[in-house]
């Protein structure tokens, strides 16, 4: 059902057919909440969809609105929704797990085999995203917060929870030496989280000057150029207890392996391309490395929202600029170009 109003929505149909379109404003059904978008962040996956109408194996097959990092204001409530009020600012958890598969029943909802994660073309029909003026969510996806919460940081609750989950996978970080390879949004947020978790030394490596500068602002102990020769990185940094692969690049994984102590822990957060075979995988065996994957997040979302709301973390250094929804393409073009931004956001303009 829709109401009589129309709204702006960013839509991608093909590599060339993309931009802001008008759509009817939806009406919430039972258990649903209509959200008026305040801010939506642009993520790496959104950039892939924008550039090539696909993200990895997920091809866009119908008009698709990206965006899974959003916050907004409760606009209307469907029947049976309790505990929320119209006008409340809310973080939105994009995860829509089934609650019925074996992983959900085990409490590992992030591994749900039937997740309708918003802003993903992994399923058909696609799970539409939140880069639009209004969108529907389930009641349980809303995390109401005080009005004065900074909305751009609140929109980072999703990537922050991805970073917190990866740190959770790494285990106890108290007193540990942690290296984050890759200074995009997730890498920077992981650096903030690692400090919070008591790591004694946090280093971040990235090939771009921009990322290394942001890393200094978020409080890493040292940031280095990842393109330096390995020997030089070893000399400067020493070995680590935990390495996070947050670049999604084979050389980054190779660095993680080389710069770990024996019995060290690798957590891979980045999505790697098909391997060319240069990383020394035998070192994983010989060093008894604990190689762990990390996929999305679960309870960390609430934790992330609480940290942002309480002001215990300041995510503002990663915010590199915002654009009105009608000019979202400009934000995407800048993101595609790369090198000048960490997190770009799109704002509602009315
Ligand atoms: Zn994201
Ligand atoms: Zn499930």
């Amino acid at each position: 059902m829709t109401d009589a109003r129309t709204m702006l929505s960013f839509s991608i149909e093909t590599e060339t057919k993309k931009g802001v379109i008008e759509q009817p404003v939806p009406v919430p059904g039972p258990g649903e909440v209509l959200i008026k978008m305040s801010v939506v962040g642009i993520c790496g996956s959104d950039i892939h969809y924008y550039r090539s109408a696909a993200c990895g194996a997920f091809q866009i097959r119908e008009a698709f609105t990206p965006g899974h990092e959003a916050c907004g204001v409760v606009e209307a409530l469907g029947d049976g929704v309790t505990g929320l009020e119209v006008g409340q600012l809310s973080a939105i958890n994009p995860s829509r797990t089934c609650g019925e598969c074996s992983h959900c029943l085990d409490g590992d909802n992030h591994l749900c085999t039937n997740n309708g994660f918003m802003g993903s073309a992994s399923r058909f029909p696609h799970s539409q995203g939140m880069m639009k003026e209004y969108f529907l969510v389930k009641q349980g996806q809303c995390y109401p917060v005080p009005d004065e919460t900074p909305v751009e940081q609140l929109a980072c609750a999703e990537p922050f929870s991805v970073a917190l989950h990866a740190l959770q996978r790494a285990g106890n970080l108290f007193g540990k030496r942690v290296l984050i390879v890759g200074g995009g949004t997730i890498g920077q947020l992981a650096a903030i989280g690692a400090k919070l978790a008591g790591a004694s030394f946090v280093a971040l490596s990235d090939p771009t000057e921009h990322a290394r500068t942001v890393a200094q602002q978020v409080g890493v102990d040292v940031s280095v150029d990842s393109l330096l020769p390995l020997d030089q990185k070893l000399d400067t940094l020493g070995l680590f207890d935990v390495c996070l692969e947050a670049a999604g690049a084979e050389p980054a994984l190779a660095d993680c392996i080389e710069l770990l102590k024996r019995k060290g822990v690798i957590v891979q957060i980045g999505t790697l391309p098909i391997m060319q075979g240069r990383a020394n995988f035998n070192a994983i065996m010989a060093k008894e490395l604990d190689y762990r994957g990390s996929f999305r997040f679960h309870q960390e979302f609430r934790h992330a929202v609480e940290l942002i709301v309480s002001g215990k973390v300041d995510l503002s250094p990663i915010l590199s600029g915002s654009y009105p929804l009608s000019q979202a393409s400009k934000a995407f073009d800048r993101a595609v170009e790369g090198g000048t931004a960490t997190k770009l956001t799109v704002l509602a303009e009315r």
Side-chain angles (χ1 to χ4, degrees), residues 41-46 68-69 117 158-159 162 186 343:
I42 294 179
C43 179
S45 60
D46 300 322
H68 56 266
E69 307 175 356
F117 199 89
E158 195 274 345
V162 170
I186 301 294
K343 176 60 67 188

Side-chain angles (χ1 to χ4, degrees), residues 336-350:
V336 167
E337 204 175 300
T340 66
T342 305
K343 176 60 67 188
L344 295 173
T345 57
V346 171
L347 309 178
E349 53 203 288
R350 58 183 179 186

Side-chain angles (χ1 to χ4, degrees), residues 312-323:
K312 285 203 181 97
V313 294
D314 175 18
L315 309 187
S316 61
I318 72 158
L319 299 169
S320 311
S322 49
Y323 296 74

Side-chain angles (χ1 to χ4, degrees), residues 97-101 104 112-114:
T97 56
C98 75
E100 291 168 359
C101 71
C104 282
C112 176
T113 48
N114 195 23

Side-chain angles (χ1 to χ4, degrees), residues 163-313:
L164 293 177
H165 182 67
L167 296 169
Q168 192 72 34
R169 294 281 295 139
N172 184 2
L173 296 180
F174 190 77
K176 298 277 174 65
R177 289 172 49 83
V178 177
L179 171 66
I180 294 151
V181 182
T185 296
I186 301 294
Q188 305 286 357
L189 294 174
I192 292 173
K195 279 282 177 186
L196 212 59
S200 63
F201 182 80
V202 177
L204 185 144
S205 69
D206 194 279
T208 71
E209 180 81 49
H210 171 79
R212 295 196 296 271
T213 306
V214 173
Q216 293 299 326
Q217 290 164 354
V218 303
V220 300
D221 295 290
V222 60
S223 62
V224 295
D225 184 349
S226 52
L227 298 179
L228 289 174
L230 179 63
D231 286 355
Q232 221 167 313
K233 282 182 279 197
L234 266 171
D235 279 352
T236 319
L237 301 172
L239 292 171
F240 291 87
D241 302 294
V242 172
C243 287
L244 302 188
E245 197 292 317
E250 189 197 334
L253 178 58
D255 269 5
C256 287
I257 294 170
E258 300 293 351
L259 294 169
L260 266 182
K261 286 179 187 168
R262 294 183 175 185
K263 288 194 88 174
V265 174
I266 294 185
V267 179
Q268 180 186 335
I269 329 172
T271 302
L272 294 162
I274 302 302
M275 287 292 163
Q276 305 299 311
R278 286 194 303 272
N280 179 12
F281 288 106
N282 284 333
I284 296 177
M285 171 267 293
K287 292 165 85 171
E288 287 199 355
L289 301 183
D290 194 346
Y291 188 110
R292 302 175 188 180
S294 183
F295 185 63
R296 292 178 179 159
F297 53 86
H298 181 30
Q299 302 94 331
E300 293 86 358
F301 192 84
R302 177 175 297 281
H303 192 189
V305 171
E306 285 169 0
L307 287 167
I308 293 166
V309 168
S310 68
K312 285 203 181 97
V313 294

Side-chain angles (χ1 to χ4, degrees), residues 62-103:
E62 62 176 339
F64 172 71
T65 295
H68 56 266
E69 307 175 356
C71 64
V73 174
V74 175
E75 174 83 5
L77 303 173
D79 284 345
V81 175
T82 53
L84 287 173
E85 281 168 36
V86 170
Q88 263 177 336
L89 177 63
S90 182
I92 308 298
N93 184 340
S95 199
R96 286 183 171 181
T97 56
C98 75
E100 291 168 359
C101 71
S102 62
H103 299 291

